[in-house]
Amino acid sequence: MNDSSRGAPQGAGHWGAPETQAAPAGPAYDVHDAQQTRPMPIVPDVPDAGRDADDRDDRDQGAGRLSGGPLFRDEKPQEPMSTAPPPPQKKRAGRDLRAAIGVGVGLGAIIVASLFIVKAVFVGVIVVAVVVGLWELTSRLQERKGIKAPLVPLAVGGAAMVVAGFVQGAEGAWVAMALTALAVLVWRMTEPPEGYLKDVTAGVFAAFYVPFLATFVAMLLTADDGPQRVLTFLLLTVVSDTGAYAVGWRFGKHKLAPRISPGKTREGLFGAVAFAMVAGALCMQFLIDGGSWWQGLLLGLAVAVSATLGDLGESMIKRDLGIKDMGTLLPGHGGIMDRLDSLLPTAPVVWLLLVLFVGSS
């Protein structure tokens, strides 16, 4: 079979050109079909709008890839990467240090003035701090967890707890604590029973965590050298926090409790212990009647540990609530509870050790 038996060449009609050559007779053609061959009409190829847009995009992308330009029309061409290493970044504090220092100095002046002028005025300062702290804690519990710890019985009972501790000592504080817990249980009965257990549990916890622990500060004040004892308690806690911050910020490399507070380091804890022990030795030697420097070393060590644990405990609460600060009342510090976190658990530790070292009067 020769090549002419394969039929006419195909494809010319697609471009609109007339077929000028008739198909030869063969197995696939007959004379009638050959005579009916005629020019094909020219029909312009009009694609749909969607495909036309896609084709244009494809052509634009293809042109971009061939020319080395951007893949998309609104994409900026990439600049060559710089080989120079980035400049080292300085460590920065997590808060506004100017505001934090200013607020701290102001609070310290108020506390010291009330402490050495009239003891009852300082008890009032404790009551105000307790009530505001309870308000912050109960507000965050309701906002983040839907827990409605009753604030009214907590505020009234907390204030009574501090005053009872100052007037009647530890026995008065325990009685006021029990009555406050009972008031929380009864107050919550005025609302529907749904969530009763979690609400009263949070209320009892708040009563113990804030006002009961703060009562030990008022109990420190009842001694003859009460202002000096309270001042020692405050100085050691502040110095411990400052030592932890300064040493940890400068030398901190090993995390202390990364799941709870990633910013705290072991080096910071060593700094807190060293600073607090030195401050404790000085305070016990020169501020506390009958105190000795070696007692101050032990007192400083205990304060550094309790303050760190208190700070970690507060961090656990805030992480569970999904917040950074308990409030915004104190610029550079957060809320009242953010300043009481290390003070509250340290107060009973200092009270107990001072009673053991030099007595309660």
Side-chain angles (χ1 to χ4, degrees):
M1 180 182 298
N2 55 26
D3 295 336
S4 62
S5 64
R6 300 184 181 179
Q10 300 177 0
H14 178 72
W15 300 98
E19 297 183 1
T20 58
Q21 181 179 358
Y29 296 91
D30 56 17
V31 177
H32 177 73
D33 293 333
Q35 293 177 352
Q36 295 297 325
T37 303
R38 61 183 181 275
M40 296 181 65
I42 300 176
V43 180
D45 187 9
V46 182
D48 60 282
R51 289 190 58 188
D52 184 51
D54 294 339
D55 292 341
R56 286 199 301 271
D57 290 341
D58 292 340
R59 288 194 296 271
D60 292 341
Q61 294 177 14
R65 283 190 288 266
L66 291 175
S67 61
L71 182 60
F72 299 101
R73 283 170 292 179
D74 58 350
E75 182 181 346
K76 296 181 179 181
Q78 296 183 355
E79 298 180 357
M81 297 180 62
S82 175
T83 58
Q89 296 182 353
K90 296 182 179 180
K91 291 184 178 180
R92 294 180 178 271
R95 300 182 183 274
D96 186 350
L97 286 182
R98 292 184 178 180
I101 293 174
V103 171
V105 171
L107 289 176
I110 294 175
I111 291 173
V112 172
S114 62
L115 184 62
F116 286 94
I117 295 176
V118 181
K119 290 183 177 181
V121 175
F122 182 74
V123 174
V125 173
I126 300 175
V127 169
V128 172
V130 163
V131 173
V132 176
L134 286 170
W135 169 72
E136 289 180 347
L137 179 58
T138 55
S139 298
R140 301 296 87 76
L141 287 174
Q142 184 170 358
E143 291 173 2
R144 308 299 299 184
K145 295 292 186 178
I147 299 175
K148 300 179 181 179
L151 178 60
V152 174
L154 284 174
V156 175
M161 213 178 299
V162 173
V163 175
F166 178 71
V167 176
Q168 296 293 332
E171 294 181 357
W174 277 113
V175 172
M177 172 65 196
L179 294 176
T180 302
L182 180 61
V184 169
L185 269 67
V186 174
W187 188 278
R188 179 58 179 78
M189 291 180 183
T190 60
E191 297 184 7
E194 288 77 15
Y196 177 82
L197 183 59
K198 68 177 182 180
D199 292 346
V200 298
T201 301
V204 174
F205 163 73
F208 173 81
Y209 182 48
V210 184
F212 181 75
L213 294 181
T215 300
F216 286 91
V217 182
M219 291 166 57
L220 283 170
L221 194 60
T222 59
D224 295 336
D225 58 346
Q228 288 80 7
R229 295 193 182 198
V230 174
L231 183 60
T232 298
F233 154 70
L234 295 174
L235 284 176
L236 292 186
T237 308
V238 172
V239 168
S240 173
D241 290 345
T242 303
Y245 174 79
V247 176
W249 178 78
R250 181 64 180 85
F251 303 103
K253 294 182 179 179
H254 302 87
K255 301 297 183 181
L256 178 63
R259 296 181 60 184
I260 302 175
S261 182
K264 290 180 175 53
T265 61
R266 300 174 188 176
E267 292 81 2
L269 176 59
F270 294 149
V273 170
F275 277 53
M277 290 181 70
V278 172
L282 294 175
C283 288
M284 287 296 294
Q285 184 69 34
F286 297 106
L287 289 181
I288 304 300
D289 295 338
S292 178
W293 65 269
W294 65 268
Q295 296 171 339
L297 293 178
L298 297 178
L299 180 63
L301 175 61
V303 167
V305 174
S306 63
T308 302
L309 292 176
D311 201 351
L312 291 175
E314 180 82 1
S315 297
M316 282 285 286
I317 296 174
K318 290 189 286 188
R319 281 195 170 275
D320 187 24
L321 296 177
I323 57 177
K324 181 181 179 182
D325 295 320
M326 281 290 186
T328 58
L329 186 61
L330 303 177
H333 293 269
I336 289 291
M337 285 301 299
D338 297 298
R339 293 300 88 202
L340 296 180
D341 53 2
S342 56
L343 291 169
L344 289 174
T346 303
V349 173
V350 174
W351 176 82
L352 178 60
L353 289 178
L354 287 179
V355 169
L356 293 177
F357 288 155
V358 296
S360 58
S361 59

PDB file of all heavy atoms in Angstrom, residues 272-300:
ATOM      1  N   ALA A 272      18.288  36.185  94.554  1.00  0.00           N
ATOM      2  CA  ALA A 272      17.310  36.500  95.587  1.00  0.00           C
ATOM      3  C   ALA A 272      17.796  36.028  96.952  1.00  0.00           C
ATOM      4  O   ALA A 272      17.678  36.752  97.957  1.00  0.00           O
ATOM      5  CB  ALA A 272      15.967  35.848  95.246  1.00  0.00           C
ATOM      6  N   VAL A 273      18.346  34.825  97.008  1.00  0.00           N
ATOM      7  CA  VAL A 273      18.834  34.287  98.282  1.00  0.00           C
ATOM      8  C   VAL A 273      19.987  35.133  98.817  1.00  0.00           C
ATOM      9  O   VAL A 273      20.018  35.497 100.013  1.00  0.00           O
ATOM     10  CB  VAL A 273      19.267  32.817  98.110  1.00  0.00           C
ATOM     11  CG1 VAL A 273      19.993  32.322  99.358  1.00  0.00           C
ATOM     12  CG2 VAL A 273      18.062  31.936  97.811  1.00  0.00           C
ATOM     13  N   ALA A 274      20.946  35.461  97.954  1.00  0.00           N
ATOM     14  CA  ALA A 274      22.110  36.238  98.403  1.00  0.00           C
ATOM     15  C   ALA A 274      21.702  37.623  98.893  1.00  0.00           C
ATOM     16  O   ALA A 274      22.121  38.064  99.984  1.00  0.00           O
ATOM     17  CB  ALA A 274      23.119  36.350  97.258  1.00  0.00           C
ATOM     18  N   PHE A 275      20.896  38.317  98.127  1.00  0.00           N
ATOM     19  CA  PHE A 275      20.473  39.664  98.510  1.00  0.00           C
ATOM     20  C   PHE A 275      19.669  39.623  99.809  1.00  0.00           C
ATOM     21  O   PHE A 275      19.875  40.456 100.715  1.00  0.00           O
ATOM     22  CB  PHE A 275      19.641  40.301  97.399  1.00  0.00           C
ATOM     23  CG  PHE A 275      20.438  40.932  96.303  1.00  0.00           C
ATOM     24  CD1 PHE A 275      21.425  40.221  95.631  1.00  0.00           C
ATOM     25  CD2 PHE A 275      20.203  42.232  95.914  1.00  0.00           C
ATOM     26  CE1 PHE A 275      22.165  40.803  94.614  1.00  0.00           C
ATOM     27  CE2 PHE A 275      20.935  42.832  94.901  1.00  0.00           C
ATOM     28  CZ  PHE A 275      21.922  42.112  94.244  1.00  0.00           C
ATOM     29  N   ALA A 276      18.736  38.666  99.912  1.00  0.00           N
ATOM     30  CA  ALA A 276      17.872  38.608 101.088  1.00  0.00           C
ATOM     31  C   ALA A 276      18.655  38.223 102.347  1.00  0.00           C
ATOM     32  O   ALA A 276      18.377  38.739 103.440  1.00  0.00           O
ATOM     33  CB  ALA A 276      16.731  37.615 100.851  1.00  0.00           C
ATOM     34  N   MET A 277      19.625  37.351 102.206  1.00  0.00           N
ATOM     35  CA  MET A 277      20.406  36.959 103.386  1.00  0.00           C
ATOM     36  C   MET A 277      21.242  38.128 103.904  1.00  0.00           C
ATOM     37  O   MET A 277      21.337  38.341 105.126  1.00  0.00           O
ATOM     38  CB  MET A 277      21.297  35.762 103.041  1.00  0.00           C
ATOM     39  CG  MET A 277      20.526  34.473 102.816  1.00  0.00           C
ATOM     40  SD  MET A 277      21.579  33.053 102.441  1.00  0.00           S
ATOM     41  CE  MET A 277      22.370  32.791 104.033  1.00  0.00           C
ATOM     42  N   VAL A 278      21.828  38.880 103.013  1.00  0.00           N
ATOM     43  CA  VAL A 278      22.600  40.050 103.454  1.00  0.00           C
ATOM     44  C   VAL A 278      21.684  41.073 104.114  1.00  0.00           C
ATOM     45  O   VAL A 278      21.978  41.607 105.204  1.00  0.00           O
ATOM     46  CB  VAL A 278      23.343  40.670 102.255  1.00  0.00           C
ATOM     47  CG1 VAL A 278      23.989  41.995 102.664  1.00  0.00           C
ATOM     48  CG2 VAL A 278      24.392  39.707 101.719  1.00  0.00           C
ATOM     49  N   ALA A 279      20.542  41.350 103.468  1.00  0.00           N
ATOM     50  CA  ALA A 279      19.596  42.304 104.052  1.00  0.00           C
ATOM     51  C   ALA A 279      19.044  41.788 105.379  1.00  0.00           C
ATOM     52  O   ALA A 279      18.853  42.570 106.330  1.00  0.00           O
ATOM     53  CB  ALA A 279      18.455  42.568 103.071  1.00  0.00           C
ATOM     54  N   GLY A 280      18.805  40.469 105.471  1.00  0.00           N
ATOM     55  CA  GLY A 280      18.301  39.911 106.722  1.00  0.00           C
ATOM     56  C   GLY A 280      19.294  40.056 107.865  1.00  0.00           C
ATOM     57  O   GLY A 280      18.914  40.382 109.002  1.00  0.00           O
ATOM     58  N   ALA A 281      20.569  39.800 107.578  1.00  0.00           N
ATOM     59  CA  ALA A 281      21.584  39.954 108.613  1.00  0.00           C
ATOM     60  C   ALA A 281      21.641  41.394 109.116  1.00  0.00           C
ATOM     61  O   ALA A 281      21.742  41.650 110.336  1.00  0.00           O
ATOM     62  CB  ALA A 281      22.943  39.514 108.073  1.00  0.00           C
ATOM     63  N   LEU A 282      21.561  42.356 108.215  1.00  0.00           N
ATOM     64  CA  LEU A 282      21.596  43.768 108.608  1.00  0.00           C
ATOM     65  C   LEU A 282      20.359  44.160 109.404  1.00  0.00           C
ATOM     66  O   LEU A 282      20.458  44.867 110.422  1.00  0.00           O
ATOM     67  CB  LEU A 282      21.739  44.642 107.365  1.00  0.00           C
ATOM     68  CG  LEU A 282      23.052  44.510 106.583  1.00  0.00           C
ATOM     69  CD1 LEU A 282      23.011  45.339 105.300  1.00  0.00           C
ATOM     70  CD2 LEU A 282      24.240  44.933 107.450  1.00  0.00           C
ATOM     71  N   CYS A 283      19.206  43.720 108.946  1.00  0.00           N
ATOM     72  CA  CYS A 283      17.957  44.093 109.627  1.00  0.00           C
ATOM     73  C   CYS A 283      17.887  43.492 111.026  1.00  0.00           C
ATOM     74  O   CYS A 283      17.507  44.176 111.998  1.00  0.00           O
ATOM     75  CB  CYS A 283      16.753  43.651 108.801  1.00  0.00           C
ATOM     76  SG  CYS A 283      16.488  44.611 107.294  1.00  0.00           S
ATOM     77  N   MET A 284      18.223  42.221 111.155  1.00  0.00           N
ATOM     78  CA  MET A 284      18.157  41.583 112.467  1.00  0.00           C
ATOM     79  C   MET A 284      19.177  42.181 113.435  1.00  0.00           C
ATOM     80  O   MET A 284      18.942  42.261 114.643  1.00  0.00           O
ATOM     81  CB  MET A 284      18.385  40.079 112.340  1.00  0.00           C
ATOM     82  CG  MET A 284      17.230  39.328 111.728  1.00  0.00           C
ATOM     83  SD  MET A 284      15.718  39.377 112.728  1.00  0.00           S
ATOM     84  CE  MET A 284      16.215  38.463 114.179  1.00  0.00           C
ATOM     85  N   GLN A 285      20.308  42.642 112.913  1.00  0.00           N
ATOM     86  CA  GLN A 285      21.352  43.185 113.775  1.00  0.00           C
ATOM     87  C   GLN A 285      21.025  44.603 114.227  1.00  0.00           C
ATOM     88  O   GLN A 285      21.323  44.977 115.375  1.00  0.00           O
ATOM     89  CB  GLN A 285      22.689  43.179 113.028  1.00  0.00           C
ATOM     90  CG  GLN A 285      23.877  43.620 113.847  1.00  0.00           C
ATOM     91  CD  GLN A 285      24.240  42.609 114.938  1.00  0.00           C
ATOM     92  OE1 GLN A 285      24.085  41.394 114.754  1.00  0.00           O
ATOM     93  NE2 GLN A 285      24.711  43.091 116.094  1.00  0.00           N
ATOM     94  N   PHE A 286      20.374  45.397 113.352  1.00  0.00           N
ATOM     95  CA  PHE A 286      20.223  46.820 113.652  1.00  0.00           C
ATOM     96  C   PHE A 286      18.772  47.265 113.836  1.00  0.00           C
ATOM     97  O   PHE A 286      18.551  48.366 114.366  1.00  0.00           O
ATOM     98  CB  PHE A 286      20.857  47.649 112.524  1.00  0.00           C
ATOM     99  CG  PHE A 286      22.338  47.439 112.377  1.00  0.00           C
ATOM    100  CD1 PHE A 286      22.847  46.700 111.314  1.00  0.00           C
ATOM    101  CD2 PHE A 286      23.222  47.952 113.302  1.00  0.00           C
ATOM    102  CE1 PHE A 286      24.211  46.504 111.159  1.00  0.00           C
ATOM    103  CE2 PHE A 286      24.587  47.759 113.168  1.00  0.00           C
ATOM    104  CZ  PHE A 286      25.085  47.031 112.097  1.00  0.00           C
ATOM    105  N   LEU A 287      17.779  46.470 113.444  1.00  0.00           N
ATOM    106  CA  LEU A 287      16.389  46.904 113.553  1.00  0.00           C
ATOM    107  C   LEU A 287      15.593  46.144 114.609  1.00  0.00           C
ATOM    108  O   LEU A 287      14.734  46.726 115.270  1.00  0.00           O
ATOM    109  CB  LEU A 287      15.677  46.767 112.199  1.00  0.00           C
ATOM    110  CG  LEU A 287      16.068  47.740 111.100  1.00  0.00           C
ATOM    111  CD1 LEU A 287      15.255  47.468 109.832  1.00  0.00           C
ATOM    112  CD2 LEU A 287      15.859  49.192 111.541  1.00  0.00           C
ATOM    113  N   ILE A 288      15.876  44.878 114.786  1.00  0.00           N
ATOM    114  CA  ILE A 288      15.060  44.036 115.660  1.00  0.00           C
ATOM    115  C   ILE A 288      15.713  43.951 117.043  1.00  0.00           C
ATOM    116  O   ILE A 288      16.899  43.607 117.168  1.00  0.00           O
ATOM    117  CB  ILE A 288      14.882  42.628 115.065  1.00  0.00           C
ATOM    118  CG1 ILE A 288      14.289  42.730 113.659  1.00  0.00           C
ATOM    119  CG2 ILE A 288      14.002  41.772 115.960  1.00  0.00           C
ATOM    120  CD1 ILE A 288      12.944  43.408 113.591  1.00  0.00           C
ATOM    121  N   ASP A 289      14.929  44.243 118.063  1.00  0.00           N
ATOM    122  CA  ASP A 289      15.437  44.165 119.438  1.00  0.00           C
ATOM    123  C   ASP A 289      15.772  42.723 119.802  1.00  0.00           C
ATOM    124  O   ASP A 289      14.927  41.825 119.700  1.00  0.00           O
ATOM    125  CB  ASP A 289      14.385  44.699 120.416  1.00  0.00           C
ATOM    126  CG  ASP A 289      14.113  46.180 120.212  1.00  0.00           C
ATOM    127  OD1 ASP A 289      14.985  46.872 119.638  1.00  0.00           O
ATOM    128  OD2 ASP A 289      13.016  46.642 120.603  1.00  0.00           O
ATOM    129  N   GLY A 290      17.024  42.499 120.214  1.00  0.00           N
ATOM    130  CA  GLY A 290      17.463  41.171 120.609  1.00  0.00           C
ATOM    131  C   GLY A 290      17.811  40.268 119.451  1.00  0.00           C
ATOM    132  O   GLY A 290      18.097  39.083 119.650  1.00  0.00           O
ATOM    133  N   GLY A 291      17.817  40.799 118.249  1.00  0.00           N
ATOM    134  CA  GLY A 291      18.132  39.995 117.072  1.00  0.00           C
ATOM    135  C   GLY A 291      19.620  39.851 116.848  1.00  0.00           C
ATOM    136  O   GLY A 291      20.435  40.621 117.390  1.00  0.00           O
ATOM    137  N   SER A 292      20.009  38.863 116.068  1.00  0.00           N
ATOM    138  CA  SER A 292      21.414  38.605 115.763  1.00  0.00           C
ATOM    139  C   SER A 292      21.568  38.424 114.259  1.00  0.00           C
ATOM    140  O   SER A 292      20.630  38.009 113.558  1.00  0.00           O
ATOM    141  CB  SER A 292      21.903  37.366 116.507  1.00  0.00           C
ATOM    142  OG  SER A 292      23.254  37.072 116.181  1.00  0.00           O
ATOM    143  N   TRP A 293      22.773  38.661 113.767  1.00  0.00           N
ATOM    144  CA  TRP A 293      23.023  38.611 112.332  1.00  0.00           C
ATOM    145  C   TRP A 293      22.810  37.215 111.758  1.00  0.00           C
ATOM    146  O   TRP A 293      22.323  37.067 110.641  1.00  0.00           O
ATOM    147  CB  TRP A 293      24.434  39.106 112.021  1.00  0.00           C
ATOM    148  CG  TRP A 293      25.512  38.221 112.586  1.00  0.00           C
ATOM    149  CD1 TRP A 293      26.113  38.338 113.804  1.00  0.00           C
ATOM    150  CD2 TRP A 293      26.097  37.086 111.947  1.00  0.00           C
ATOM    151  NE1 TRP A 293      27.037  37.346 113.986  1.00  0.00           N
ATOM    152  CE2 TRP A 293      27.062  36.571 112.858  1.00  0.00           C
ATOM    153  CE3 TRP A 293      25.933  36.459 110.727  1.00  0.00           C
ATOM    154  CZ2 TRP A 293      27.834  35.441 112.558  1.00  0.00           C
ATOM    155  CZ3 TRP A 293      26.697  35.340 110.420  1.00  0.00           C
ATOM    156  CH2 TRP A 293      27.636  34.837 111.327  1.00  0.00           C
ATOM    157  N   TRP A 294      23.194  36.167 112.519  1.00  0.00           N
ATOM    158  CA  TRP A 294      23.036  34.812 111.989  1.00  0.00           C
ATOM    159  C   TRP A 294      21.555  34.437 111.873  1.00  0.00           C
ATOM    160  O   TRP A 294      21.157  33.678 110.975  1.00  0.00           O
ATOM    161  CB  TRP A 294      23.773  33.800 112.854  1.00  0.00           C
ATOM    162  CG  TRP A 294      23.238  33.645 114.250  1.00  0.00           C
ATOM    163  CD1 TRP A 294      23.640  34.308 115.363  1.00  0.00           C
ATOM    164  CD2 TRP A 294      22.186  32.764 114.653  1.00  0.00           C
ATOM    165  NE1 TRP A 294      22.906  33.912 116.460  1.00  0.00           N
ATOM    166  CE2 TRP A 294      22.009  32.949 116.050  1.00  0.00           C
ATOM    167  CE3 TRP A 294      21.392  31.836 114.000  1.00  0.00           C
ATOM    168  CZ2 TRP A 294      21.066  32.253 116.784  1.00  0.00           C
ATOM    169  CZ3 TRP A 294      20.444  31.129 114.720  1.00  0.00           C
ATOM    170  CH2 TRP A 294      20.281  31.329 116.100  1.00  0.00           C
ATOM    171  N   GLN A 295      20.724  34.995 112.768  1.00  0.00           N
ATOM    172  CA  GLN A 295      19.291  34.808 112.617  1.00  0.00           C
ATOM    173  C   GLN A 295      18.778  35.488 111.348  1.00  0.00           C
ATOM    174  O   GLN A 295      17.883  34.983 110.666  1.00  0.00           O
ATOM    175  CB  GLN A 295      18.565  35.361 113.842  1.00  0.00           C
ATOM    176  CG  GLN A 295      18.900  34.640 115.137  1.00  0.00           C
ATOM    177  CD  GLN A 295      18.335  35.347 116.348  1.00  0.00           C
ATOM    178  OE1 GLN A 295      18.035  36.545 116.313  1.00  0.00           O
ATOM    179  NE2 GLN A 295      18.212  34.610 117.462  1.00  0.00           N
ATOM    180  N   GLY A 296      19.395  36.608 111.034  1.00  0.00           N
ATOM    181  CA  GLY A 296      19.018  37.311 109.811  1.00  0.00           C
ATOM    182  C   GLY A 296      19.354  36.527 108.564  1.00  0.00           C
ATOM    183  O   GLY A 296      18.628  36.600 107.555  1.00  0.00           O
ATOM    184  N   LEU A 297      20.471  35.776 108.600  1.00  0.00           N
ATOM    185  CA  LEU A 297      20.807  34.942 107.451  1.00  0.00           C
ATOM    186  C   LEU A 297      19.727  33.890 107.203  1.00  0.00           C
ATOM    187  O   LEU A 297      19.296  33.670 106.063  1.00  0.00           O
ATOM    188  CB  LEU A 297      22.168  34.271 107.671  1.00  0.00           C
ATOM    189  CG  LEU A 297      23.393  35.188 107.709  1.00  0.00           C
ATOM    190  CD1 LEU A 297      24.653  34.374 107.994  1.00  0.00           C
ATOM    191  CD2 LEU A 297      23.544  35.952 106.392  1.00  0.00           C
ATOM    192  N   LEU A 298      19.281  33.236 108.278  1.00  0.00           N
ATOM    193  CA  LEU A 298      18.229  32.235 108.143  1.00  0.00           C
ATOM    194  C   LEU A 298      16.910  32.880 107.716  1.00  0.00           C
ATOM    195  O   LEU A 298      16.167  32.328 106.880  1.00  0.00           O
ATOM    196  CB  LEU A 298      18.042  31.492 109.472  1.00  0.00           C
ATOM    197  CG  LEU A 298      19.244  30.673 109.961  1.00  0.00           C
ATOM    198  CD1 LEU A 298      18.934  30.024 111.304  1.00  0.00           C
ATOM    199  CD2 LEU A 298      19.609  29.615 108.931  1.00  0.00           C
ATOM    200  N   LEU A 299      16.625  34.041 108.283  1.00  0.00           N
ATOM    201  CA  LEU A 299      15.391  34.739 107.928  1.00  0.00           C
ATOM    202  C   LEU A 299      15.404  35.142 106.451  1.00  0.00           C
ATOM    203  O   LEU A 299      14.405  34.978 105.739  1.00  0.00           O
ATOM    204  CB  LEU A 299      15.222  35.973 108.812  1.00  0.00           C
ATOM    205  CG  LEU A 299      13.968  36.815 108.572  1.00  0.00           C
ATOM    206  CD1 LEU A 299      12.721  36.008 108.871  1.00  0.00           C
ATOM    207  CD2 LEU A 299      14.002  38.090 109.427  1.00  0.00           C
ATOM    208  N   GLY A 300      16.558  35.649 105.974  1.00  0.00           N
ATOM    209  CA  GLY A 300      16.649  36.034 104.568  1.00  0.00           C
ATOM    210  C   GLY A 300      16.494  34.848 103.628  1.00  0.00           C
ATOM    211  O   GLY A 300      15.841  34.949 102.579  1.00  0.00           O
TER     212      GLY A 300
END
